[in-house]
Amino acid sequence: MRHFILAWLLGCCVAGAANAADSDDLQAMKGSYALADGRVLYVSCHQRTLYAQIDAGPEVALKAAGGAVWQSAKGDLRITFQQHGNGVVSGVQLVARRE
């Protein structure tokens, strides 16, 4: 599993301009990421749409928010992928707004 930083925000997530990612980028982002609190973030791709799921929770569709940042439609979940120039993703930063 890959490392990443789990952060919680009480405010709103910043939305950016949506950018389309190509199929190779989406494939590189897929995988499982160990959360600091022991949970697991799963990232999958179905029909050119990226999805995030924490443990056995519901899958949440993500949209491009600019660069390596993806977020849910509501803006309550934002994931920044730490992607190297060669396309390899070494981790993510997850920011979720508590409800």
Side-chain angles (χ1 to χ4, degrees):
M1 294 201 188
R2 303 171 187 168
H3 275 353
F4 82 95
I5 301 167
L6 174 64
W8 293 100
L9 289 181
L10 296 176
C12 293
C13 295
V14 177
N19 294 326
D22 67 29
S23 183
D24 290 340
D25 286 340
L26 296 177
Q27 294 302 316
M29 295 173 193
K30 287 176 23 177
S32 58
Y33 302 87
L35 301 176
D37 64 1
R39 297 180 298 164
V40 177
L41 169 69
Y42 298 98
V43 178
S44 59
C45 179
H46 311 289
Q47 298 179 349
R48 297 188 52 84
T49 300
L50 210 57
Y51 292 88
Q53 179 180 16
I54 298 176
D55 286 337
E59 278 191 327
V60 176
L62 302 174
K63 63 179 181 175
V69 180
W70 291 74
Q71 71 179 29
S72 64
K74 293 180 182 179
D76 56 348
L77 177 68
R78 183 176 60 194
I79 300 172
T80 302
F81 290 88
Q82 298 163 352
Q83 192 167 22
H84 301 281
N86 64 1
V88 174
V89 175
S90 61
V92 297
Q93 180 181 21
L94 171 70
V95 178
R97 182 180 65 204
R98 292 185 185 183
E99 295 187 15

